Amino acid sequence: MKPVAPGPKPAAPQGVKPPGTAAPGAPAAPRPTQPGQAAQPGVKPVAPGPKPAAPQGVKPVAPGPKPAAPQGVKPAAKPAQTVLAPTKAETVAERGKRKLGQVLIDLGFIDEDQLWELLEEAKQQGKQIGQAVVDRGLINSEQLLQALSEQHGLKLANLSETKPTPEAMAIVPETMANIYKILPLAFKDRVLTIVVSDPANATAADDLRNLLSLNEVQVQLASPEAMQEAQAKAYNTTKEESVIDVIKELETSGQWQGGGREASIDLESALEMADSAPVRKLINMIFLMGIRDRASDIHFEPFEEEYRVRMKADGVLYELVPPPRQYATAISSRIKVMSNLDITERRLPQDGRIELNVGGNQVDMRVSVLPTLFGESIVIRILDRTAVKLELDKIGMAPEILEPFKEVIEKPNGIILVTGPTGSGKTTTLYSALSYLNRVEDKIITTEDPVEYEIEGLVQCPINHEIGLTFASALRAILRQDPDRILVGEIRDLETAQIAVQASLTGHTVFSTLHTNDAPSTITRMRDMGLEPFLITATVEAVLAQRLVRTICQNCREEFRPSAEMLIELNLTPEQVEGKPFFFGKGCDKCNNTGYKGRMGLHELIIVDDDIRDAISGSLSTDDLRAVCEKKGMISLRESGMRAIHRGKTTIDEVVRETVLESN
Ligand SMILES: [Zn+2]
């Protein structure tokens, strides 16, 4: 039972809400204040719990029955051997491991009474037990390291005497070492020895074994300081190998000079090439660059004369140096092997995924393969679940939007819509809203296509069109599961809209998205779908339109005076911007000379009140509806952009590109 205030579910109006009852800005039904506010819902990290100093999820280095990637065996259609990150199942076997506290007692560093005190202290101060015991001066950091090595069965590395070998550094490039937070120590007979400073990072061993096609990866432990020092020394003297170097290697390798185009390449040699060191290295490097630069997707595109690789970061596509055209099949085969797809199938589209475990974070890559005229076009969508902080306060909403938005999403029923084109950050906003509302006494169910973030405490149901599980059918089933709040990935049709309305009328809050350009047109769009205006006024509580614009690089930002032409683009006169500052980024190393770094949202929020309800019932046009909303204080996307420009956050170009001037 939920500890909800008196009576059953509050304000679940059967039938239609008469226009005019809900006072404008009426506060949501009072929420019970719960003692100790349930644990803040976090995005699910791979290792359970927050970044641990004494993590549980560490894999024993012991050989185990892991399928050692067989070397020398021709990988004829045997994708299974390269399946990445079989991590989840293994952690189960780790449950029996001693807790760090117990190890400290067994080593005689502390006694049981001290442990209880330390546990209490660690909990109160949000520290790891290991840190707490060092802070108290009961042990030094070396003794902590000793305890951790004992707990996780990891050998201690002696970095003052053992230096990374050139072979080890050659196989693990600096970027890879940095991203995985490891130091390569030795490499012999296809066995790599690496050092980590956080036992949680031992999970990198699996990825590395697969990425580098190794027989085994052994893990040792060292202090963060020792590791950093050794790493700085080691890589300082070697120039990092770049994508260009690898491509040169491919061009001159001579292994496969003759290859012209698809037709002349038989599968066998393509597979051989796919498994060759330079191809593997190139793909690993591209993937790691994508992860490092927080790219959202990577595109491999074969054309008649060239093979193009592009990467999208901050919403903009960048082209990388193109690999030799004749390697297209080898590259796509390698990606298909990594994503566990059928490599012999080259005429039908396929979808797969690659999971990597990078620096203790799970990175999920969705792979889509499409046969084209000149070979397979591959798009990889990178879902780095840790890249986004899903906290409503931290997604860059201006306070004048954030406060009313927070208030309206607390309502016990109604429909909240977030709109904007693909890639406008709708999903992040909705998840942040749900995370904000994620409390023990509320049940939240989502249905999505695909599930983009896993959030603890939410029941998440992926859509599957192939078997007929659509938003509408999922939503019907969800309503039988007694949720309080529901997220429907998208309202695409009248059927889904009707069920959403029904859900709202029976006392649920429904969150969803619509593909419309701005907030007022969302209302008219629902009407055009065939939804009766009285059902819209009875249910829709708020519409938030959103765009993402690139933010100016803070390292090279400069103020400037816009020309008359630029002002005309913004439909402004020089008098209107008199004394108001404008900025741009000159370009520097920190921003790849683009002048931009990161992105921010522009927002337009309609809180539906009596006047707006009247306007909706009156079947006003989008423009008239917009006029009413603006009179009620709605800040338009363009206005939100202007504010961001003057605050030095973004540029005229970005705002002009992402927001249209509303007709007056
Ligand atoms: Zn810059």
Side-chain angles (χ1 to χ4, degrees):
M1 271 308 286
K2 292 177 220 144
V4 177
K9 184 92 53 86
Q14 286 307 313
V16 178
K17 194 194 297 175
T21 41
R31 296 209 137 262
T33 42
Q34 54 278 73
Q37 183 89 344
Q40 188 65 18
V43 183
K44 189 168 153 203
V46 189
K51 191 61 136 312
Q56 297 306 306
V58 177
K59 227 145 294 145
V61 199
K66 223 166 269 169
Q71 272 314 299
V73 179
K74 190 167 280 179
K78 227 206 266 172
Q81 78 194 43
T82 7
V83 176
L84 289 175
T87 52
K88 275 176 196 155
E90 285 163 351
T91 52
V92 179
E94 317 261 317
R95 300 259 159 84
K97 188 180 293 166
R98 280 185 300 167
K99 297 263 191 209
L100 182 62
Q102 189 56 49
V103 176
L104 290 168
I105 291 176
D106 294 348
L107 286 169
F109 291 156
I110 59 171
D111 61 34
E112 208 144 308
D113 291 341
Q114 284 171 320
L115 176 61
W116 285 113
E117 279 171 39
L118 284 163
L119 284 171
E120 186 61 28
E121 186 182 316
K123 197 170 131 197
Q124 272 176 9
Q125 301 180 5
K127 276 186 207 168
Q128 299 300 329
I129 179 88
Q131 195 52 48
V133 70
V134 172
D135 288 352
R136 277 254 208 138
L138 293 168
I139 61 171
N140 61 29
S141 52
E142 253 164 58
Q143 287 166 316
L144 174 62
L145 210 56
Q146 188 192 338
L148 286 172
S149 98
E150 191 129 318
Q151 183 195 12
H152 298 285
L154 298 177
K155 194 179 159 206
L156 283 178
N158 184 351
L159 292 179
S160 54
E161 283 175 17
T162 320
K163 299 267 171 284
T165 65
E167 295 79 28
M169 282 163 47
I171 191 160
V172 181
E174 190 171 5
T175 316
M176 187 180 257
N178 283 335
I179 289 182
Y180 279 97
K181 298 180 188 139
I182 59 125
L183 174 72
L185 198 60
F187 178 56
K188 213 183 157 205
D189 300 331
R190 304 216 68 77
V191 175
L192 175 71
T193 305
I194 60 170
V195 183
V196 298
S197 64
D198 180 344
N201 272 348
T203 51
D206 274 329
D207 273 4
L208 295 178
R209 205 188 59 238
N210 288 314
L211 290 174
L212 303 170
S213 179
L214 303 174
N215 288 346
E216 193 187 339
V217 176
Q218 299 184 338
V219 185
Q220 300 188 0
L221 193 65
S223 72
E225 297 78 28
M227 205 176 115
Q228 240 169 34
E229 199 189 313
Q231 175 146 14
K233 269 191 205 149
Y235 283 112
N236 203 9
T237 50
T238 59
K239 186 186 141 291
E240 189 183 357
E241 196 170 31
S242 69
V243 171
I244 299 173
D245 296 331
V246 180
I247 287 173
K248 275 204 191 107
E249 196 179 330
L250 280 177
E251 276 164 350
T252 55
S253 72
Q255 265 192 50
W256 203 19
Q257 294 296 10
R261 287 226 304 273
E262 301 306 298
S264 60
I265 296 157
D266 63 277
L267 185 66
E268 188 123 326
S269 49
L271 282 173
E272 207 168 302
M273 284 308 306
D275 203 42
S276 76
V279 170
R280 277 173 175 273
K281 206 189 283 178
L282 180 71
I283 291 171
N284 292 349
M285 223 173 231
I286 293 174
F287 282 3
L288 293 177
M289 275 172 62
I291 294 168
R292 185 194 62 193
D293 296 346
R294 300 225 181 287
S296 56
D297 37 63
I298 308 175
H299 304 242
F300 296 83
E301 304 156 314
F303 295 100
E304 188 166 13
E305 300 298 336
E306 62 164 351
Y307 190 55
R308 193 156 69 167
V309 182
R310 295 192 294 171
M311 205 176 271
K312 193 187 247 178
D314 291 339
V316 179
L317 274 170
Y318 297 94
E319 186 167 355
L320 305 184
V321 186
R325 175 67 182 85
Q326 66 267 32
Y327 282 84
T329 312
I331 290 174
S332 66
S333 300
R334 169 69 188 148
I335 296 173
K336 281 158 79 182
V337 168
M338 290 178 81
S339 19
N340 220 358
L341 294 175
D342 180 0
I343 16 187
T344 57
E345 178 55 78
R346 286 199 261 171
R347 292 162 310 164
L348 289 174
Q350 293 191 71
D351 292 313
R353 62 195 275 184
I354 300 172
E355 280 181 6
L356 295 178
N357 222 311
V358 176
N361 299 325
Q362 188 185 333
V363 178
D364 204 349
M365 297 174 147
R366 301 295 166 88
V367 181
S368 152
V369 183
L370 181 73
T372 72
L373 216 45
F374 300 112
E376 288 166 316
S377 169
I378 298 186
V379 176
I380 299 179
R381 195 160 164 218
I382 305 178
L383 302 174
D384 181 353
R385 299 192 169 114
T386 54
V388 199
K389 272 254 175 300
L390 293 178
E391 287 174 54
L392 204 47
D393 293 324
K394 294 192 181 148
I395 57 169
M397 254 187 208
E400 60 267 26
I401 299 284
L402 180 64
E403 290 313 317
F405 186 65
K406 270 183 175 173
E407 201 172 293
V408 77
I409 61 175
E410 292 268 10
K411 294 204 174 192
N413 60 293
I415 299 178
I416 316 278
L417 297 168
V418 178
T419 83
T422 306
S424 58
K426 298 187 295 268
T427 315
T428 308
T429 302
L430 281 171
Y431 272 108
S432 307
L434 291 182
S435 296
Y436 177 73
L437 297 167
N438 191 0
R439 305 163 182 135
V440 210
E441 76 278 6
D442 274 358
K443 185 174 175 87
I444 305 180
I445 307 187
T446 76
T447 175
E448 306 159 66
D449 183 21
V451 172
E452 287 189 39
Y453 304 102
E454 288 168 30
I455 300 181
E456 273 173 43
L458 303 196
V459 179
Q460 296 176 279
C461 162
I463 290 301
N464 189 337
H465 293 286
E466 273 167 34
I467 55 167
L469 182 57
T470 60
F471 281 122
S473 59
L475 194 47
R476 275 203 200 90
I478 284 172
L479 286 173
R480 293 192 289 271
Q481 297 243 324
D482 189 31
D484 296 291
R485 301 176 199 278
I486 304 164
L487 168 73
V488 188
E490 192 188 336
I491 295 181
R492 269 180 217 166
D493 47 43
L494 181 62
E495 190 187 8
T496 313
Q498 281 167 334
I499 308 169
V501 163
Q502 239 1 276
S504 162
L505 292 175
T506 50
H508 307 88
T509 321
V510 182
F511 293 83
S512 192
T513 69
L514 238 78
H515 273 271
T516 50
N517 283 330
D518 57 19
S521 66
T522 307
I523 305 271
T524 36
R525 176 73 201 286
M526 292 184 86
R527 218 166 50 198
D528 296 346
M529 269 184 188
L531 206 59
E532 299 280 354
F534 76 91
L535 288 176
I536 303 176
T537 57
T539 54
V540 176
E541 293 288 347
V543 184
L544 179 77
Q546 177 164 344
R547 288 293 185 286
L548 284 181
V549 289
R550 288 184 289 168
T551 44
I552 301 174
C553 169
Q554 295 298 307
N555 192 49
C556 59
R557 189 180 77 162
E558 279 191 6
E559 195 172 337
F560 78 109
R561 283 179 66 88
S563 65
E565 285 94 342
M566 291 175 109
L567 290 179
I568 289 167
E569 276 202 279
L570 289 166
N571 204 27
L572 293 171
T573 61
E575 292 74 44
Q576 282 172 301
V577 297
E578 188 65 46
K580 289 190 177 161
F582 289 82
F583 301 86
F584 79 112
K586 245 182 6 182
C588 65
D589 311 343
K590 296 228 162 106
C591 57
N592 289 327
N593 280 315
T594 58
Y596 293 100
K597 204 160 171 80
R599 286 190 291 177
M600 69 178 288
L602 304 179
H603 299 98
E604 171 175 283
L605 176 66
I606 297 180
I607 300 284
V608 179
D609 65 7
D610 286 351
D611 294 336
I612 294 173
R613 265 185 210 108
D614 287 347
I616 297 171
S617 311
S619 295
L620 295 187
S621 69
T622 305
D623 286 346
D624 293 342
L625 192 58
R626 162 172 292 282
V628 173
C629 294
E630 282 183 345
K631 213 156 64 189
K632 299 293 293 185
M634 179 186 81
I635 302 162
S636 68
L637 282 168
R638 176 55 68 94
E639 173 57 26
S640 165
M642 289 307 302
R643 294 181 184 196
I645 287 175
H646 295 315
R647 276 186 285 137
K649 295 277 190 197
T650 191
T651 61
I652 296 177
D653 288 350
E654 286 292 296
V655 172
V656 168
R657 196 188 64 214
E658 290 297 329
T659 66
V660 288
L661 199 59
E662 57 276 7
S663 43
N664 292 315

